[in-house]
Amino acid sequence: MIVCIAEKPSVARDIAEVLGARNRKDGYIEGNGYQVTWTFGHLCTLKEPHEYTPAWKAWSLGSLPMIPPRFGIKLINDTGIEKQFHIIEGLMQQADLIINCGDAGQEGELIQRWVMQKAGAKCPVKRLWISSLTEEAIREGFANLKDQSDFQPLYEAGLSRAIGDWTLGMNATRLYTLKYGQNKQILSIGRVQTPTLALIVKRQQEIEHFVPKQYWELKTIYRDTLFAAIVRKSDEELAEEAEKEKENPNAKKKTAAKEDTNRGIPPITDEQTGRALLERIKDKPFTITDITSKKGSEAPPRLFDLTSLQVECNKKFSYSADMTLQLIQSLYEKKVATYPRVDTTFLSDDIYPKCPKILEGIRDYAAYTAPILGKPLLKSKKVFDNSKVTDHHAIIPTGVNPQGLTDMERRVFDLIARRFIAVFYPDCKFSTTTVTGVAEEIEFKATGKQILDAGWRIIFAKEPQSDENKENEEESVLPAFTKGESGPHQPQLNEKWTQPPRPYTEATLLRAMETAGKLVDNDELRDALKENGIGRPSTRAAIIETLFKRHYIRKERKNLIATPTGVELIQLIHEELLKSAELTGIWEKKLREIERRSYDAGTFLAELKQMVTDIVYSVLRDNTNRRVTVAPEDAAAPVKKAARRKDASADKPAPTKPRAPRKRKVADTPPPPLPEGDAMLGRACPVCGKGIIIKGKTAYGCSEWKNGCTFRKPF
């Protein structure tokens, strides 16, 4: 008998249907020589400290660092999980062949390997590796099963990540709680969550310590067109530009003429100087000195990876990163979108022949697909590049026409579909006109942009603009000017103040995590920095949710604000390895290299154990007697005896994958009352404290409703 094991019941049903297994049993489906069973996400986890030695049961500084000589796994303590595991165990011990049908990623590999290991599976194992759950993709995957050994590096990377999170999380959390905590309060430290919190705290402190500077802008209106005085760059701006060039030596340098690089009046930093300039030009004629028009083109936006989709949904719809992940996961399970936990925006060449069929399948977009079907589709290197695709390609539609989607799912699918269609449209062509003029030797400039051929932009013409996009709208088309023309004008002096950096939103924080704290707009540079990003695309949303649940951050509108507890925690951590996004990014890069067989997992774990040991001894040497004070409104639930007996890895948030149904307890600390309407979306559930608020057809509910949460608030 061939045993297939999927990551959740719904996927198992899809696979069983394709294989012709239709006889439903308790915990599996049988037929046609196959037994198709499933997990509920993680069934196994790494053992707790006290399960290695009784000496680690009590929280004690003397027992640190806790580094087991050999890590072990155990079943998660849950009756539903235990029952399903014993069914799987029985099937596997009788199997002739096992096919690992887990999610095609690092976490999916780890989940199934641990189950097979715990079940004592001895027979050969094959791997199903697919990027969508359509019948065609499943059939193709089973026709091209791979050897399990091909994915050993993927498993080693996942295992290294889990052991790394356990080792640092367990030791650092106990260390900081015992050394700096008070009132039985846990101070949770994690390999990814702590640098992420540090990013938010650092930005917040930059804002709080920001001293605004007053300055003035000299402008004038000539022939109903607003011209701005050309202002020379300050020494600080020039130094900043030079620094950016050092950081990115491969970026294309602008070929502006030397005389254009830094000309104009000095910045106006006092009103008296501004008034003098205003007086100097107010009765003098304004003369057009130069008119230049330059044609340009703009390529379609890139396809989505998970992070860019989460960023876009946060900007456009204010969806949290976790909410977007749930929505795209649902679209994947409904077979209308491809595998979501990806970090590439490219497609492999073998997808190109399938694209016409995919475009034909999304019938609701026929108005946009009709003009490009029936002839060869454009094939751009910015879209199709085998060197930029490893296990999975960018998120695209599968070609199954979506039906029965919720409003929120429809919005996310719409973004994915439009991006996919757009990459086969021609570039947008435009003309940029720059007009310069002079009044009493002071140069002014106005710029206008005119779309000559909308190209791919026609697909997004009716999309609502986000506030950010509105600020960056193209300049209007300028009237026709003639070089040498002259006439009266209306100069004006406007008072301005320098602005502090903006607080992080989930969108900008995700970008910062992706690029180890460096916010960049350039796609090529972002790709290079992804190697050192912190967290994985699939875990970043959960890390942000963990910071909310541990009351280290809160949300004000879309802004993420560190609580006093979060700020104090980061301030007392002196070990840069714990809070530096850049240093954590280096560790993430090594995990990616393990996956690619270019770095050894044993070396990674040896380095990590040494790092944890150094951190423990460094903190133990601290005699300052510092403590973190916890304000009542920021406090997480107090530590109970049970919590001290049962640790949890600090970077291991509550699982979002389906679990066996169980009764939920009311959260230990009731959260503040929920706001009304859509403002409650993405907030923590007031009943179970684990799920988040989602929107149904007639009421708001909890994302954990399948697992027994009863929260419901009718519209």
Side-chain angles (χ1 to χ4, degrees):
M1 190 69 75
I2 299 173
V3 172
C4 301
I5 179 166
E7 195 166 313
K8 58 186 70 173
S10 61
V11 177
R13 286 193 295 270
D14 290 339
I15 290 170
E17 184 64 28
V18 172
L19 294 176
R22 296 183 176 87
N23 188 9
R24 291 177 179 264
K25 304 278 190 176
D26 187 12
Y28 65 101
I29 307 168
E30 189 175 72
N32 202 23
Y34 292 93
Q35 291 170 326
V36 184
T37 187
W38 55 83
T39 62
F40 305 116
H42 278 281
L43 297 192
C44 300
T45 186
L46 291 172
K47 289 180 177 178
E48 304 290 335
H50 67 272
E51 291 171 305
Y52 294 103
T53 170
W56 289 349
K57 189 170 186 178
W59 286 37
S60 159
L61 287 173
S63 65
L64 303 179
M66 302 180 295
I67 301 176
R70 183 178 177 84
F71 282 84
I73 59 171
K74 63 168 189 172
L75 275 182
I76 290 170
N77 186 21
D78 180 284
T79 53
I81 281 175
E82 288 169 4
K83 178 187 174 185
Q84 183 63 14
F85 171 76
H86 290 307
I87 291 169
I88 295 168
E89 184 179 35
L91 296 175
M92 286 187 169
Q93 289 182 353
Q94 300 297 318
D96 300 312
L97 174 69
I98 294 171
I99 300 177
N100 177 355
C101 304
D103 274 8
Q106 196 183 94
E107 197 73 2
E109 189 70 19
L110 188 67
I111 286 170
Q112 308 300 51
R113 292 275 192 127
W114 275 356
V115 169
M116 287 185 273
Q117 184 181 324
K118 189 71 179 168
K122 304 291 184 191
C123 64
V125 180
K126 293 286 187 180
R127 185 61 158 102
L128 175 72
W129 195 265
I130 53 177
S131 288
S132 81
L133 292 173
T134 62
E135 181 180 335
E136 182 186 4
I138 293 171
R139 287 193 188 284
E140 192 176 319
F142 270 92
N144 296 281
L145 290 173
K146 302 177 186 299
D147 288 329
Q148 177 87 332
S149 58
D150 293 349
F151 299 90
Q152 185 65 18
L154 188 70
Y155 167 65
E156 288 178 5
L159 183 61
S160 299
R161 180 181 295 278
I163 290 174
D165 288 341
W166 190 102
T167 306
L168 185 61
M170 291 291 187
N171 283 283
T173 296
R174 287 192 179 195
L175 177 69
Y176 274 82
T177 298
L178 294 169
K179 185 76 175 172
Y180 302 115
Q182 56 183 348
N183 301 326
K184 296 183 178 180
Q185 195 70 34
I186 284 184
L187 298 179
S188 174
I189 307 288
R191 186 180 57 85
V192 180
Q193 71 155 339
T194 305
T196 303
L197 175 61
L199 287 172
I200 298 169
V201 170
K202 182 184 177 188
R203 174 62 56 85
Q204 198 160 307
Q205 291 175 331
E206 287 171 352
I207 294 167
E208 287 169 1
H209 298 145
F210 181 80
V211 179
K213 292 179 182 175
Q214 199 176 17
Y215 68 100
W216 283 261
E217 287 181 341
L218 184 63
K219 297 189 175 182
T220 192
I221 297 173
Y222 172 71
R223 285 184 52 194
D224 296 324
T225 302
L226 186 66
F227 286 78
I230 298 173
V231 179
R232 196 178 306 154
K233 290 174 185 171
S234 65
D235 291 340
E236 290 85 355
E237 288 172 310
L238 291 171
E240 194 176 322
E241 283 182 7
E243 191 60 35
K244 279 184 182 173
E245 279 185 20
K246 271 189 207 171
E247 283 181 9
N248 186 27
N250 298 324
K252 293 176 184 175
K253 295 185 180 178
K254 292 179 183 176
T255 55
K258 286 284 181 188
E259 62 269 19
D260 285 341
T261 53
N262 203 20
R263 72 179 203 263
I265 61 172
I268 305 170
T269 55
D270 65 277
E271 189 173 11
Q272 189 176 352
T273 301
R275 292 285 168 204
L277 291 170
L278 191 68
E279 286 296 318
R280 176 175 152 190
I281 65 171
K282 74 175 184 179
D283 295 322
K284 305 294 182 185
F286 185 84
T287 305
I288 299 297
T289 55
D290 191 37
I291 304 162
T292 59
S293 284
K294 195 176 180 182
K295 289 185 178 177
S297 64
E298 183 184 12
R302 286 192 177 195
L303 295 170
F304 285 116
D305 59 9
L306 178 58
T307 301
S308 59
L309 182 62
Q310 289 169 319
V311 167
E312 193 75 0
C313 286
N314 186 253
K315 283 180 181 176
K316 277 196 164 68
F317 315 127
S318 298
Y319 294 169
S320 70
D322 191 53
M323 173 62 68
T324 301
L325 178 56
Q326 289 184 46
L327 292 168
I328 181 58
Q329 180 70 23
S330 177
L331 292 174
Y332 170 63
E333 290 172 23
K334 289 180 177 178
K335 307 182 180 65
V336 298
T338 57
Y339 185 70
R341 292 172 165 83
V342 298
D343 60 359
T344 182
T345 57
F346 291 86
L347 300 175
S348 50
D349 287 332
D350 64 327
I351 301 296
Y352 179 74
K354 301 175 182 178
C355 291
K357 189 176 177 184
I358 296 172
L359 291 167
E360 286 170 8
I362 47 177
R363 296 188 294 274
D364 294 344
Y365 297 85
Y368 299 120
T369 59
I372 55 174
L373 287 170
K375 52 187 175 182
L377 295 173
L378 288 173
K379 189 179 182 188
S380 166
K381 193 72 174 169
K382 293 177 180 176
V383 179
F384 295 92
D385 189 341
N386 283 339
S387 68
K388 302 289 178 66
V389 179
T390 50
D391 301 327
H392 294 288
H393 54 68
I395 302 170
I396 60 172
T398 61
V400 173
N401 198 46
Q403 293 178 333
L405 303 186
T406 66
D407 286 345
M408 296 172 80
E409 288 171 345
R410 197 175 295 111
R411 287 189 191 120
V412 176
F413 181 81
D414 185 65
L415 292 179
I416 296 165
R418 287 176 190 268
R419 284 267 177 120
F420 180 66
I421 297 166
V423 300
F424 301 109
Y425 265 67
D427 289 357
C428 169
K429 292 183 171 54
F430 58 86
S431 172
T432 303
T433 302
T434 303
V435 181
T436 54
V438 66
E440 196 60 17
E441 298 182 351
I442 296 177
E443 278 193 295
F444 291 80
K445 182 171 74 171
T447 305
K449 194 172 185 179
Q450 183 179 8
I451 302 294
L452 303 175
D453 181 354
W456 60 267
R457 278 185 171 272
I458 194 169
I459 295 168
F460 301 94
K462 293 182 181 177
E463 271 198 348
Q465 283 188 307
S466 67
D467 292 339
E468 191 169 314
N469 288 340
K470 283 176 186 171
E471 290 173 14
N472 299 322
E473 284 177 346
E474 286 96 13
E475 301 89 338
S476 58
V477 178
L478 300 177
F481 290 103
T482 306
K483 187 175 179 179
E485 70 173 81
S486 186
H489 61 115
Q490 298 90 47
Q492 53 189 242
L493 186 69
N494 303 319
E495 179 187 6
K496 297 282 183 180
W497 291 86
T498 54
Q499 296 298 309
R502 291 181 175 182
Y504 279 115
T505 61
E506 286 204 36
T508 54
L509 182 62
L510 284 165
R511 281 295 187 212
M513 293 173 76
E514 182 184 53
T515 55
K518 294 183 170 131
L519 285 175
V520 292
D521 295 321
N522 180 278
D523 282 330
E524 283 77 14
L525 180 55
R526 189 182 295 137
D527 280 345
L529 291 172
K530 274 184 183 181
E531 279 292 295
N532 286 22
I534 60 174
R536 288 178 71 82
S538 56
T539 61
R540 288 176 190 139
I543 291 295
I544 296 171
E545 290 301 308
T546 298
L547 294 176
F548 279 120
K549 288 172 185 172
R550 287 174 178 159
H551 300 268
Y552 291 158
I553 64 173
R554 58 188 170 81
K555 195 177 279 189
E556 287 184 6
R557 291 175 149 181
K558 289 176 74 170
N559 297 332
L560 302 180
I561 307 298
T563 63
T565 304
V567 172
E568 279 199 49
L569 179 61
I570 293 302
Q571 287 176 336
L572 72 80
I573 295 174
H574 290 171
E575 293 71 33
E576 282 301 307
L577 278 166
L578 282 180
K579 61 181 182 179
S580 163
E582 205 163 338
L583 291 171
T584 304
I586 292 169
W587 287 87
E588 290 283 354
K589 184 170 185 281
K590 290 178 178 178
L591 286 165
R592 288 175 177 82
E593 288 172 348
I594 291 170
E595 203 171 305
R596 294 194 297 262
R597 303 178 192 259
S598 58
Y599 196 75
D600 180 60
T603 304
F604 172 83
L605 292 173
E607 290 174 349
L608 183 119
K609 290 170 185 176
Q610 186 59 52
M611 181 189 86
V612 169
T613 302
D614 292 345
I615 287 170
V616 167
Y617 292 139
S618 170
V619 171
L620 290 177
R621 286 193 295 268
D622 179 14
N623 296 317
T624 58
N625 205 30
R626 294 173 292 159
R627 288 286 185 273
V628 170
T629 56
V630 182
E633 65 271 18
D634 298 325
V639 181
K640 297 180 178 179
K641 288 181 181 177
R644 287 188 177 254
R645 286 199 299 268
K646 185 178 180 182
D647 296 272
S649 172
D651 270 342
K652 202 84 172 172
T656 56
K657 294 186 168 109
R659 297 276 298 274
R662 66 175 103 169
K663 289 183 181 178
R664 299 284 174 190
K665 294 180 180 177
V666 174
D668 293 319
T669 304
L674 285 167
E676 293 297 319
D678 281 0
M680 72 170 68
L681 291 175
R683 303 263 182 153
C685 174
V687 174
C688 70
K690 177 174 178 282
I692 60 171
I693 304 304
I694 59 176
K695 189 175 183 179
K697 291 182 179 176
T698 60
Y700 297 99
C702 173
S703 60
E704 287 291 302
W705 64 274
K706 288 183 181 176
N707 294 333
C709 182
T710 57
F711 173 76
R712 189 173 184 277
K713 185 178 176 68
F715 296 157

